[in-house]
Amino acid sequence: DWHAEAVRRWGVACQATNWKVFVESRLSTPPPVSPLDFLQEWYAVDSWRLLSCCILMSRVSSWLTKTTAIANFFQKYPTPTSFALETEHENVYQAIRSLGLFDDRLASLIALTDHFLRGAPLPNGSRDDCFQLSTERNSPYKIRGVGPFSVDSYKLFCKDDFHMTLSDGGKPLINFQNWRRKFAAGAVI
């Protein structure tokens, strides 16, 4: 059953009325692994992990710092439920302190996790079981700290949407998108 699948993947804190929509909209369909070794590729099999990774790696240039802190975070919080049930911010801080900007990252991770586990809060007070993202400021699908780079990464790496127009325009994502298009056309292995 769909509810059991949601709990198996993301933990007991999942809330929905339509469990099929809830699960299917959160499932990842990652692209083939590229030779480009993007950090997003490491986490593309799970949408929450990919988006958490984007929040954590934002504004950090050191590869070692990013990879170590992100690995620490996911070792401590392997599912969104395990993160949502954390009551001590100090424990989160210990996992990701080397990244800096702790208060902003924590607020973004909390917002993402709530949106992922419970759905987007709609104006009528209900929640949307279908997981969607937006960069539009007034949209119920806009998540704090999840900007164009994160949304584009989600679409490319979790939904394999390589035909989309990138909103971020970052060169690394353009490079991946170009590789993916060539791969789909059979021009690269």
Side-chain angles (χ1 to χ4, degrees):
D1 99 11
W2 291 104
H3 177 251
E5 183 63 17
V7 170
R8 185 185 72 76
R9 288 176 179 271
W10 304 299
V12 297
C14 296
Q15 297 177 17
T17 53
N18 185 330
W19 287 104
K20 182 179 185 208
V21 168
F22 181 92
V23 171
E24 288 182 340
S25 67
R26 286 159 177 78
L27 290 178
S28 183
T29 53
V33 176
S34 80
L36 303 174
D37 196 30
F38 277 81
L39 191 54
Q40 293 98 313
E41 291 180 278
W42 299 10
Y43 300 104
V45 297
D46 184 293
S47 299
W48 177 78
R49 283 181 170 233
L50 179 279
L51 291 165
S52 296
C53 171
C54 289
I55 289 169
L56 293 170
M57 72 180 188
S58 174
R59 295 175 277 174
V60 179
S61 58
S62 168
W63 178 261
L64 182 60
T65 299
K66 281 191 272 199
T67 56
T68 302
I70 292 169
N72 289 343
F73 179 79
F74 289 129
Q75 183 176 12
K76 189 171 273 198
Y77 308 108
T79 66
T81 293
S82 61
F83 177 75
L85 296 177
E86 176 62 76
T87 59
E88 297 295 327
H89 292 170
E90 179 62 26
N91 293 333
V92 181
Y93 176 76
Q94 291 304 318
I96 65 171
R97 71 175 176 256
S98 62
L99 300 174
L101 304 169
F102 176 73
D103 292 337
D104 287 340
R105 291 184 204 283
L106 178 64
S108 297
L109 288 166
I110 290 170
L112 166 64
T113 302
D114 179 67
H115 186 100
F116 192 88
L117 291 172
R118 298 177 50 209
L122 300 175
N124 66 5
S126 67
R127 296 270 181 158
D128 189 348
D129 291 336
C130 185
F131 186 73
Q132 300 175 58
L133 296 173
S134 176
T135 57
E136 298 298 320
R137 197 171 284 247
N138 295 323
S139 170
Y141 306 104
K142 170 67 178 114
I143 302 171
R144 175 193 169 111
V146 177
F149 176 81
S150 299
V151 172
D152 286 352
S153 291
Y154 168 77
K155 290 177 181 177
L156 277 172
F157 295 100
C158 291
K159 297 301 179 184
D160 197 20
D161 184 4
F162 57 91
H163 294 294
M164 67 174 216
T165 300
L166 293 171
S167 58
D168 181 64
K171 186 175 180 184
L173 293 182
I174 291 169
N175 290 341
F176 181 84
Q177 185 180 46
N178 289 338
W179 173 85
R180 182 63 184 99
R181 287 176 176 168
K182 289 176 185 173
F183 184 90
V188 295
I189 299 175

